[in-house]
Amino acid sequence: MLPSPAPMAPETAAQQRVVERICARVAPPGVDVGVAELPPGGLQVWIDTPVPVAEQESWVLYHRMAREVALVGWHCEADADRLLVLGWSAACLHNRVRLLQSGLRRLADFEHTAQRAVQLDGRDPGGAPATRLVEEVCAAIERRLRWPERLAELDGFERSSGLPHLQLLLAQVAGLEAKVAAACEEHLVMARVLARAVCEHHARHGDPARARRDVLAESRRWVHASSMIRGGRPPHGRSPRARAGRTWAWPSAASQRASSTTACRG
């Protein structure tokens, strides 16, 4: 009788789940992704399709997966047959730090999110119930932010290294990810508030153009909303959530989540 394979280490199993999520996102429809441990360390990824894939096509797909997985910080090697995911790479982690810093700079500008929110991402304010419409708008804006999906792929994954310089880089990455996640949440809170205000305004007056125009203009008169939309700092160092607007207060992310959960249950 052949000996049973050794159980996978918890950290390897967690890494496998993350790699599966990333590669499944990259893979086109109809392509299954397999991930397995690669002794003496690392993972190997392969694609499985009903019809064999041409060599050039598989080469492109594996390299696309390698690029996305390397953005987490792992060293990757790809060819036309498989993708290898190895250990942490200082160069890849430095690249992730740069990407997160760049993302934070872009997320400081709320203008595009505000415009999309008041335009309801191209949707008709009377074409669906307001609650569903607001959820659809927020989902569309979340997809365009891109970071929420990529950070969600790392949920539950504890990253560590026995090498001090890599551990410092991993700590820096974790801190920046928390800031990016918080900035994305601010965008989504603002989008939810503005989209809901447009729906309520339209329900009262029946004029979509006026609803969008008035809500965006009103938002810029609120001290905290104006500073967020322009990406500036609130006056006197106050938190963007510290003050209420003329009509209604800017709700916290926690209260928005609670409201959304209650709505879904209802």
Side-chain angles (χ1 to χ4, degrees), residues 5-182:
M8 187 179 294
E11 58 272 17
T12 303
Q15 181 190 21
Q16 180 179 2
R17 289 192 294 271
V18 172
V19 172
E20 284 176 341
R21 293 169 190 162
I22 295 172
C23 292
R25 167 170 55 82
V26 175
V31 175
D32 292 327
V33 176
V35 183
E37 190 173 12
L38 180 69
L43 300 171
Q44 58 179 333
V45 181
W46 66 93
I47 58 175
D48 186 13
T49 58
V51 179
V53 177
E55 182 175 339
Q56 180 63 24
E57 186 178 347
S58 65
W59 188 93
V60 170
L61 180 53
Y62 282 127
H63 279 77
R64 189 178 300 149
M65 290 178 177
R67 182 173 62 249
E68 288 292 321
V69 173
L71 290 178
V72 177
W74 288 304
H75 175 73
C76 296
E77 296 180 5
D79 54 26
D81 298 320
R82 63 178 179 173
L83 163 66
L84 302 182
V85 183
L86 306 177
W88 295 117
S89 161
C92 291
L93 287 171
H94 277 296
N95 184 51
R96 184 164 184 82
V97 168
R98 287 192 294 269
L99 287 173
L100 288 163
Q101 291 171 336
S102 176
L104 275 176
R105 288 192 294 270
R106 290 194 298 272
L107 287 165
D109 180 8
F110 286 78
E111 182 66 28
H112 292 299
T113 295
Q115 291 286 349
R116 288 191 180 280
V118 298
Q119 293 293 332
L120 301 181
D121 201 49
R123 291 163 171 81
D124 178 8
T131 301
R132 192 178 82 191
L133 190 58
V134 170
E135 292 302 323
E136 290 175 352
V137 170
C138 289
I141 289 174
E142 184 174 22
R143 287 192 296 270
R144 286 186 170 87
L145 290 175
R146 300 183 67 184
W147 277 110
E149 180 183 23
R150 283 162 170 75
L151 294 178
E153 291 169 346
L154 298 169
D155 282 351
F157 181 47
E158 295 292 333
R159 287 160 280 181
S160 63
S161 172
L163 300 176
H165 71 287
L166 292 180
Q167 189 60 45
L168 285 173
L169 280 171
L170 289 168
Q172 185 180 10
V173 164
L176 287 168
E177 286 176 352
K179 292 180 180 179
V180 167

Side-chain angles (χ1 to χ4, degrees), residues 189-214:
V189 167
M190 183 181 70
R192 184 179 302 279
V193 171
L194 295 184
R196 182 180 295 145
V198 170
C199 291
E200 292 172 352
H201 195 295
H202 177 265
R204 290 194 301 270
H205 303 288
D207 186 343
R210 176 185 172 185
R212 296 179 179 112
R213 183 177 61 250
D214 289 356

